[in-house]
């Protein structure tokens, strides 16, 4: 059965938004809520059939930028981050940091002055919109000895408990209490501990790694996540004066220090955005150059695309992706890094709907991440689900239709399908999309796609 790696990036925004609309008179004073509702009333309209050509610049990684921004809480002073993407989740972190007392500004460079953190509480209003907000727990507890963070809400792609975060902090000496929907953690100073994860939790690894930087003694994290975003965070923390070794392997060693200094760091390129544009070129028989991409972060995706017949060439500063006239069906199984990423499963499924033959797509990370299947079926895809495996029989072509996004990567898969489909596809509920892709419709339009954003 699939397992859940702590937290990832998608949220049951459909359910949350439904609750918000009911509570409109109560919540209408919240700028964040109003912004969400406005985006919820927008859609992406695609006239399919265009072959993508040209060059696209890959943005900074959302899943790297989020923990890096929370890591600024570990040290007083002004932190400098470059290559931070302009996304809804980044705006949420900015609001949350401001609530805690940090001063945030950005004009090309993201500046966070964490000199005067005067609050230890991450309120429900912000945490409910983004599960990654739980990453505030480790830094606050490590620096101030006290943190109060709202429990994250439900998730559309499966349960993602934070029990691994809490068990790890307890092992480091924190006293944890749960009260009225909040996690409260206290510790005069955390102490090093040996912690073995039940499974390689990305969020758990990040939270405990940040907390351990200021703990007394040495912390050993076993069965830790190996994702490139973990490595990027470790490099930034080491630049602040932390002593972390083993990043990129399943065993991390963190020797605690007494204090850290502000970071000056460039966020790594977004491997999932890069993978999405690789599929966009492949599904439209295109010829697209991706600038800024790090091929080593995408070995599993590149391998499967080549197996499907896609031509991928290394070029200075990136990759060139040429879609074939005929796609070959291939099987994939999602796994923690370095396996095939769950965040590319939906996009790859869209590609396989047009492949020659039958592909089996097994989701082994989240237990409920096939909700895009019904929408792809509306466009003519032949997909059958049995347990956590989808059998995708390639069809001659897809047909445009009104479809509804259910989560972040599902949104991308529907856009990809729309690029290759006949006629017009309308993707609604794109507030998911804006959480993880920076101006995706603008980038696709520059590559020749007939795509635009409209009001519902």
């Amino acid at each position: 059965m699939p397992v859940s790696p702590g937290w990832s990036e998608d949220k049951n925004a459909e359910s949350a938004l439904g609750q918000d609309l009911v509570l409109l008179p109560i919540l209408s004073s919240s700028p964040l809520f109003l912004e969400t509702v406005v985006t919820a009333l927008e859609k992406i309209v695609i006239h399919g059939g265009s072959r993508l050509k040209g060059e696209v610049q890959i943005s900074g990684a959302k899943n790297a930028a989020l923990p890096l921004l929370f890591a600024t809480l570990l040290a007083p002073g002004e932190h400098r981050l470059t290559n931070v993407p302009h996304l809804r989740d980044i705006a949420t972190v900015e609001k949350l940091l401001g609530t805690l007392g940090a001063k945030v500004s950005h004009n090309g460079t993201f500046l966070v002055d964490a000199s005067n953190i005067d609050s230890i509480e991450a309120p429900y209003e912000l945490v409910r919109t983004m599960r990654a907000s739980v990453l505030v727990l480790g830094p606050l507890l490590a620096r101030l000895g006290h943190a109060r963070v709202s429990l994250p809400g439900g998730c559309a792609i499966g349960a993602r408990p934070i029990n691994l975060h809490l068990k790890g902090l307890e092992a480091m000496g924190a006293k944890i209490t749960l009260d009225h929907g909040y996690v409260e953690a206290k510790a005069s100073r955390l102490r090093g501990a040996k912690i073995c994860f039940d499974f390689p939790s990305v969020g758990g690894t990040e939270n405990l790694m940040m907390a351990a930087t200021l703990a007394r003694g040495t912390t050993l994290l076993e069965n830790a996540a190996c994702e490139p975003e973990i490595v990027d965070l470790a490099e930034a923390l080491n630049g602040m004066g932390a002593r972390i070794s083993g990043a990129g392997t399943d065993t991390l060693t963190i020797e605690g220090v007494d204090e850290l200094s502000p970071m000056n760091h460039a966020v790594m390129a977004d491997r999932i955005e890069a993978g999405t544009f690789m599929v966009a070129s492949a599904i439209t028989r295109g010829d697209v150059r991706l600038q800024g991409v790090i091929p080593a972060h995408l070995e599993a995706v590149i391998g499967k695309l080549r197996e499907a017949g896609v031509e991928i060439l290394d070029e200075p500063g990136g990759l060139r992706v040429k879609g074939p006239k005929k796609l070959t069906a291939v099987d994939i199984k999602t796994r923690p890094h370095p396996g095939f990423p769950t965040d590319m499963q939906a996009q790859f499924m869209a590609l396989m709907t047009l492949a020659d033959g039958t592909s089996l797509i097994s989701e082994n990370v989240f237990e409920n991440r096939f909700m895009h299947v019904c929408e792809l079926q509306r466009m003519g895809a032949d997909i059958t689900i049995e347990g956590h495996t989808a059998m995708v029989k390639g069809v001659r072509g897809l047909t445009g239709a009104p479809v509804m996004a259910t989560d972040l990567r599902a949104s991308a898969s529907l856009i990809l399908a729309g690029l290759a489909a006949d006629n017009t596809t309308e993707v609604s509920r794109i507030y998911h999309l804006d959480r993880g892709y920076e101006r995706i419709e603008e980038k696709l339009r520059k590559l020749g796609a007939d795509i635009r954003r409209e009001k519902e």
Side-chain angles (χ1 to χ4, degrees):
M1 291 297 291
V3 296
S4 165
W7 69 272
S8 180
E9 57 190 28
D10 304 311
K11 180 183 183 293
N12 189 355
E14 174 186 347
S15 173
L17 183 68
Q19 295 173 358
D20 285 347
L21 291 176
V22 172
L23 298 173
L24 182 59
I26 300 173
L27 298 175
S28 58
S29 60
S30 165
L32 183 63
F33 168 71
L34 292 176
E35 185 180 5
T36 301
V37 171
V38 168
T39 308
L41 300 178
E42 293 180 336
K43 62 185 177 181
I44 295 289
V45 180
I46 309 156
H47 298 292
S50 299
R51 181 171 178 258
L52 301 188
K53 292 186 66 177
E55 182 175 295
V56 62
Q57 180 68 40
I58 300 304
S59 300
K62 182 199 76 150
N63 287 343
L66 295 179
L68 286 167
L69 287 169
F70 286 122
T72 63
L73 295 169
L74 288 166
E78 186 176 74
H79 303 255
R80 300 172 63 87
L81 278 166
T82 57
N83 203 33
V84 177
H86 298 283
L87 301 170
R88 182 173 302 280
D89 276 6
I90 299 298
T92 300
V93 176
E94 181 179 350
K95 292 181 175 71
L96 180 51
L97 291 174
T99 299
L100 297 171
K103 296 178 180 179
V104 184
S105 62
H106 42 87
N107 184 14
T109 298
F110 217 94
L111 303 177
V112 180
D113 187 342
S115 299
N116 299 302
I117 303 302
D118 54 13
S119 173
I120 51 86
E121 181 171 318
Y124 171 72
E125 179 184 344
L126 292 174
V127 174
R128 69 177 174 84
T129 67
M130 187 185 68
R131 291 188 61 89
S133 300
V134 73
L135 292 181
V136 75
L137 188 60
L140 280 180
L141 182 59
R143 178 176 168 186
L144 301 179
H146 191 186
R148 189 169 187 268
V149 182
S150 172
L151 283 168
C155 178
I157 60 173
R160 293 178 293 184
I162 64 167
N163 60 301
L164 297 183
H165 305 234
L166 304 184
K167 287 172 61 177
L169 291 173
E170 283 184 322
M172 296 170 71
K175 181 180 179 182
I176 308 289
T177 57
L178 303 178
D179 184 46
H180 294 91
Y182 278 78
V183 175
E184 189 159 2
K186 294 181 179 180
S188 56
R189 184 176 179 183
L190 295 171
R191 61 176 183 269
K194 181 179 179 180
I195 300 165
C196 184
F197 291 103
D198 293 338
F199 50 83
S201 163
V202 176
T205 300
E206 291 169 340
N207 225 345
L208 297 185
M209 180 168 63
M210 288 188 285
T213 59
L214 293 175
R216 182 181 292 109
T218 300
T219 298
L220 189 67
L221 301 181
E222 296 182 336
N223 197 27
C226 305
E227 272 71 3
E229 293 80 6
I230 301 288
V231 178
D232 202 39
L233 176 61
E235 290 176 352
L237 291 171
N238 282 340
M240 296 169 65
R243 298 175 182 172
I244 302 170
S245 59
T249 74
D250 62 2
T251 302
L252 287 171
T253 302
I254 306 103
E255 298 179 29
V257 298
D258 291 333
E259 61 181 10
L260 297 171
S261 57
M263 75 170 69
N264 187 348
H265 188 77
V267 179
M268 59 173 270
D270 194 322
R271 61 193 175 101
I272 304 302
E273 184 193 38
T276 301
F277 276 96
M278 293 172 74
V279 174
S281 183
I283 203 169
T284 63
R285 300 178 181 177
D287 184 354
V288 176
R289 290 180 173 85
L290 286 73
Q291 291 297 313
V293 62
I294 305 172
H297 293 174
L298 286 159
E299 289 180 350
V301 174
I302 290 171
K304 286 299 179 180
L305 287 173
R306 283 177 171 157
E307 191 178 337
V310 181
E311 185 178 1
I312 302 174
L313 305 171
D314 290 321
E315 293 199 347
L319 294 171
R320 183 177 181 181
V321 183
K322 296 181 178 181
K325 291 183 178 180
K326 185 178 181 180
L327 287 161
T328 301
V330 298
D331 299 338
I332 67 166
K333 296 180 179 180
T334 65
R335 299 287 185 191
H337 191 79
F340 193 94
T342 181
D343 286 345
M344 280 299 302
Q345 177 258 108
Q347 300 92 309
F348 201 85
M349 184 183 291
L351 182 67
M352 289 296 95
T353 63
L354 296 173
D356 184 23
T358 300
S359 60
L360 297 178
I361 297 179
S362 299
E363 176 54 60
N364 299 299
V365 177
F366 289 117
E367 70 274 19
N368 189 25
R369 205 168 195 180
F370 281 151
M371 290 189 295
H372 49 281
V373 168
C374 292
E375 303 304 300
L376 289 173
Q377 289 171 334
R378 286 173 51 79
M379 300 178 70
D382 186 348
I383 307 172
T384 304
I385 299 176
E386 184 172 339
H388 60 97
T389 297
M391 182 172 67
V392 186
K393 296 180 180 180
V395 296
R396 287 184 176 272
L398 299 174
T399 303
V403 291
M404 182 176 63
T406 53
D407 61 65
L408 172 52
R409 304 308 172 184
S411 306
S413 76
L414 298 178
I415 288 177
L416 294 172
L419 292 173
D422 292 333
N423 303 318
T424 302
T425 299
E426 295 185 358
V427 183
S428 60
R429 291 185 177 174
I430 61 167
Y431 47 86
H432 299 286
L433 190 71
D434 292 334
R435 293 185 51 240
Y437 289 95
E438 185 176 35
R439 307 186 313 275
I440 189 171
E441 74 275 14
E442 294 179 22
K443 291 184 175 183
L444 287 170
R445 192 159 51 242
K446 289 179 180 178
L447 294 174
D450 187 347
I451 182 172
R452 65 186 184 277
R453 183 181 293 246
E454 291 185 356
K455 298 295 183 183
E456 286 276 17

